[in-house]
Amino acid sequence: MSASISFATPKSTPRRPPPALEAGVLLWLRRNLFSSAYNTVLTVLALWALFVTIPDFIVWAFIEAVWWTDDPQACRDASGACWAVVVEKHRVMLFGTFPYEEHWRGVIAIALIVGMAIASAFKRLWSYWLFVAWLGVTAAVLVLLLGGVFGLTPTGTHQWGGLPLTLLMFVGTVVGGMPLAVFLALGRRSRLPAIKAMCVGFIEIVRGVPLITVLFMASLMFPLFMPEGVTINKFLRAQIGMILFFAAYAAEIVRGGLQAIPRGQYEAADAIGLSYWQKTNRIILPQALRIVLPALMNDIIRAFKNTTFVSIIGLFDVLGATATALEDPLWVLFALEAYTFIFVLYFVFCFSMSKYSEHVERDLSKGRNL
Amino acid sequence: MTEIGQATADTTLHGSSAAIVALRDVNKWYGDFHALRDVNLAVGRGEKVVICGPSGSGKSTMIRCINRLEEHQQGDIIVDGVELVPDFRRIEEVRRQVGMVFQNFNLFPHLTVMENLTLGPILVQEARQDEAEAAAMGLLKRVKIPEQAWKYPGQLSGGQQQRVAIARALMLKPKIMLFDEPTSALDPEMINEVLDVMVELAEEGMTMICVTHEMGFARKVADLVVFMDDGEVVEAAPPERFFSAPENERTKLFLSQILH
């Protein structure tokens, strides 16, 4: 019997903190920017690109820019950006064809929707009442934009435009589309063949066509199928088209979440005697939606940007209204500045949503082991 | 909870009088695979039955048929006087009488321990929240983890999670408790804390059907030990006879493999 070479040495050591991390600016630079020859080349190239572009941009956008003038000639004479076009045209860009003296109603509508969205971001306020509040705010926004009651001048949907239209279309798409998406996702997994076939058919057909086609269908072909004398206004038709399109995509995302829930969760809910809807509402959906939150948020941000498509069928969303504003021959040269403003506007909305979704994701995964 | 097992009308069907759960000639197939073959079993009110057998023997399938997580295709299953015929509609009512504990706990990870416990009573029995919480606290004390009430399942050890699962199953005051390998997913040092709770429950008179390989538990509490293999009941006997004088060769082989 030969002696074994394996050994372990019993030893008792008090707990101690980990060794201190190295720190310092130089170390950070070396690690992150100059860690290899390849990275050093990339860093130098990037610095050069910034050096070439940033100063010119700053001169154009700030130093030589014209901020405040009602004379387009002053803009033409200047070498910098003409932000005056935004100042001059902001009413048309933000409110489109909405009657000028009624713009205050649009401002309140925007404030209501944005305020409600911010309130919804606070987890403490998440409850049934938040949903009721959304219904109330939606009703208030519709009253503000439609007028005709409380002494407000009637303003039909054909006069709507700009940011209120964009925001209302977006909120309507998500609020109407999310429940539909959930039903479609549940239906697609249904054991009843008829329901399953309907849901699969709807999802596949809508996913198989571009959004523009859906909107053209809604605006041009749909009226042909309606009985004579029945008309549904264009805004509503576009809204329904947007809802259906959003729902078809979101349904597939939700289905992914439903499939990720282990079978044991269904069985445990069954075993304590929950009905199908109790099980779905309280056990399955909360977990499934949390899993797919990032993907869903992605789709919601896309829905926000997709509202720009409605300008193709003659509704003046922010982008469409800006195009209209630029038809003024005096200011037509300054489209770049006007569209830069729109770019910033969209970026602020989309980036806030994206950051918020990141925050919710982190928050919901705290202390839980999913 | 000690009033569990109060007498109601006895089941007299199929001659298994006083049986609260009765299976007669139950057959089940998964596709072409014959998973349960003419299974017969009766469980008396307040009695404890331990089911053992190799994996794939149909023991889990059988107890999952009792609260209809699986549907059988032939034979009769009677639970507390209600016959689970094919196409049975009011299964929720039966499930409220039957608590179930799973191998993998299956707690709801998005709810706190307290919410896991009170969800059933509040939704199913329309209990008031404060009453449900008081009852939940009582049960958590019984399973010795009242301090974990406001944590999420993911923050608990396996043994603690399984004890929460037992408490959850007890919340609806069931007449029958089913255990499907309750300790198989636990680390060895946690098995006893769960078994202790189960022994206490047995001593209080609960009707229990346990699929388990914990033979010490079977010796201690079982009125009947059933050995299943290949979808059949191979042998059934009181524990003293089952362990000391098994009759069937397959039983002997199985016992020699799990008892060291």
Side-chain angles (χ1 to χ4, degrees):
Chain A
M1 198 171 96
S2 64
S4 145
I5 331 179
S6 310
F7 76 97
T9 318
K11 185 177 175 187
S12 174
T13 305
R15 288 176 200 277
R16 55 176 187 254
L21 289 170
E22 296 171 74
V25 179
L26 279 176
L27 190 80
W28 185 90
L29 284 176
R30 206 172 59 222
R31 271 204 192 141
N32 293 287
L33 298 177
F34 304 101
S35 59
S36 67
Y38 177 66
N39 277 349
T40 306
V41 170
L42 282 184
T43 302
V44 170
L45 276 177
L47 285 174
W48 176 78
L50 290 175
F51 178 74
V52 171
T53 53
I54 293 283
D56 284 353
F57 175 78
I58 290 174
V59 168
W60 176 80
F62 301 104
I63 297 171
E64 302 279 320
V66 181
W67 296 90
W68 206 269
T69 176
D70 49 10
D71 177 16
Q73 191 56 44
C75 271
R76 264 176 235 156
D77 296 341
S79 62
C82 176
W83 301 121
V85 67
V86 177
V87 178
E88 176 74 17
K89 294 292 181 190
H90 74 279
R91 297 284 282 251
V92 185
M93 288 163 73
L94 291 178
F95 301 104
T97 46
F98 208 64
Y100 191 84
E101 58 286 357
E102 305 292 338
H103 282 182
W104 61 272
R105 281 153 56 182
V107 173
I108 300 179
I110 294 170
L112 278 174
I113 292 177
V114 172
M116 199 59 212
I118 291 173
S120 308
F122 291 99
K123 211 171 132 201
R124 259 180 307 143
L125 298 176
W126 290 3
S127 71
Y128 171 73
W129 291 107
L130 192 67
F131 181 70
V132 175
W134 266 110
L135 289 182
V137 162
T138 309
V141 166
L142 285 176
V143 166
L144 277 166
L145 294 183
L146 279 169
V149 286
F150 308 123
L152 297 171
T153 321
T155 40
T157 55
H158 60 283
Q159 291 176 297
W160 290 5
L163 197 53
L165 184 137
T166 294
L167 291 179
L168 190 62
M169 186 68 87
F170 168 62
V171 170
T173 302
V174 175
V175 171
M178 270 313 296
L180 183 58
V182 169
F183 282 118
L184 284 169
L186 291 172
R188 192 165 187 165
R189 288 164 58 85
S190 170
R191 267 189 267 174
L192 307 172
I195 291 180
K196 184 173 177 169
M198 270 164 52
C199 293
V200 171
F202 175 85
I203 291 170
E204 295 304 335
I205 287 171
V206 175
R207 285 206 309 166
V209 294
L211 176 57
I212 294 189
T213 316
V214 174
L215 289 175
F216 274 132
M217 286 278 282
S219 83
L220 301 174
M221 293 185 64
F222 184 68
L224 301 177
F225 302 138
M226 296 301 284
E228 221 166 306
V230 177
T231 54
I232 300 179
N233 80 58
K234 188 154 70 173
F235 176 83
L236 196 56
R237 277 183 272 140
Q239 177 73 83
I240 291 170
M242 299 282 290
I243 287 176
L244 298 183
F245 191 80
F246 174 76
Y249 278 88
E252 286 298 282
I253 294 174
V254 174
R255 184 169 70 105
L258 293 175
Q259 276 168 346
I261 305 298
R263 207 173 63 148
Q265 293 290 305
Y266 291 88
E267 289 176 351
D270 284 339
I272 58 173
L274 301 189
S275 69
Y276 174 80
W277 288 111
Q278 288 172 335
K279 176 172 67 179
T280 303
N281 279 332
R282 305 298 292 269
I283 308 300
I284 305 304
L285 277 180
Q287 297 186 61
L289 292 178
R290 179 183 307 154
I291 294 170
V292 298
L293 189 73
L296 217 45
M297 210 56 200
N298 197 28
D299 228 36
I300 288 173
I301 291 171
R302 189 161 54 185
F304 184 74
K305 295 186 289 187
N306 277 351
T307 55
T308 53
F309 279 107
V310 299
S311 62
I312 287 164
I313 57 167
L315 292 168
F316 296 101
D317 73 307
V318 171
L319 198 62
T322 302
T324 318
L326 290 169
E327 278 166 18
D328 181 345
L330 291 175
W331 296 94
V332 72
L333 284 174
F334 310 108
L336 177 62
E337 288 84 342
Y339 284 124
T340 305
F341 171 72
I342 298 301
F343 163 84
V344 171
L345 188 74
Y346 272 94
F347 182 78
V348 166
F349 275 103
C350 295
F351 189 65
S352 319
M353 284 191 268
S354 147
K355 276 287 152 197
Y356 174 65
S357 117
E358 251 175 56
H359 163 78
V360 172
E361 241 173 273
R362 263 198 315 270
D363 194 54
L364 287 180
S365 58
K366 228 182 269 168
R368 300 176 195 192
N369 194 352
L370 240 166
Chain B
M1 295 301 296
T2 42
E3 76 277 12
I4 282 164
Q6 272 177 354
T8 54
D10 280 347
T11 305
T12 50
L13 282 151
H14 311 305
S16 49
S17 66
I20 190 166
V21 174
L23 286 77
R24 201 184 68 154
D25 291 337
V26 169
N27 281 280
K28 172 162 181 70
W29 287 264
Y30 290 113
D32 288 336
F33 178 67
H34 200 167
L36 292 180
R37 298 192 279 160
D38 281 341
V39 170
N40 285 282
L41 173 75
V43 179
R45 200 174 292 280
E47 296 190 338
K48 296 98 184 83
V49 174
V50 165
I51 321 262
C52 59
S55 68
S57 60
K59 50 198 196 306
S60 284
T61 304
M62 189 196 73
I63 75 163
R64 288 157 60 86
C65 281
I66 294 171
N67 68 347
R68 215 173 175 78
L69 290 180
E70 304 284 353
E71 287 183 29
H72 62 291
Q73 283 122 356
Q74 281 176 7
D76 306 317
I77 299 179
I78 294 148
V79 178
D80 195 28
V82 179
E83 190 169 354
L84 309 186
V85 292
D87 210 30
F88 185 66
R89 292 282 164 191
R90 302 184 334 276
I91 188 61
E92 282 87 0
E93 292 166 30
V94 174
R95 284 176 178 158
R96 283 161 211 175
Q97 308 293 339
V98 183
M100 181 148 192
V101 176
F102 300 88
Q103 180 176 356
N104 294 314
F105 330 137
N106 293 345
L107 295 176
F108 305 128
H110 61 304
L111 302 177
T112 62
V113 166
M114 182 54 87
E115 289 165 336
N116 265 277
L117 264 60
T118 56
L119 188 75
I122 289 174
L123 290 183
V124 171
Q125 296 173 330
E126 287 164 12
R128 288 200 357 231
Q129 182 165 349
D130 53 342
E131 288 170 359
E133 285 187 0
M137 218 35 166
L139 281 174
L140 285 175
K141 279 183 189 134
R142 266 181 57 187
V143 299
K144 301 177 187 69
I145 39 173
E147 72 283 359
Q148 311 289 350
W150 304 103
K151 288 191 186 165
Y152 286 95
Q155 298 168 297
L156 271 53
S157 73
Q160 292 171 328
Q161 290 194 46
Q162 193 61 299
R163 284 185 280 160
V164 171
I166 293 172
R168 178 176 70 180
L170 290 171
M171 279 299 285
L172 292 171
K173 299 189 167 50
K175 293 178 181 161
I176 303 148
M177 284 286 283
L178 307 177
F179 293 83
D180 188 1
E181 304 207 29
T183 56
S184 302
L186 294 175
D187 290 335
E189 76 270 22
M190 294 172 182
I191 288 176
N192 279 332
E193 64 189 50
V194 171
L195 288 179
D196 288 347
V197 169
M198 290 170 64
V199 169
E200 267 179 46
L201 196 61
E203 283 164 357
E204 285 162 23
M206 174 66 80
T207 306
M208 292 164 69
I209 304 176
C210 306
V211 172
T212 183
H213 292 156
E214 293 297 329
M215 291 302 132
F217 173 78
R219 277 206 182 89
K220 204 168 188 175
V221 305
D223 296 295
L224 183 73
V225 182
V226 175
F227 174 66
M228 285 183 73
D229 189 17
D230 205 14
E232 295 174 311
V233 171
V234 173
E235 185 154 358
E240 51 277 15
R241 203 168 81 225
F242 182 86
F243 291 112
S244 61
E247 285 164 10
N248 192 290
E249 284 307 313
R250 284 192 279 176
T251 316
K252 288 176 193 164
L253 178 65
F254 177 75
L255 285 175
S256 74
Q257 281 163 344
I258 64 162
L259 301 172
H260 309 290

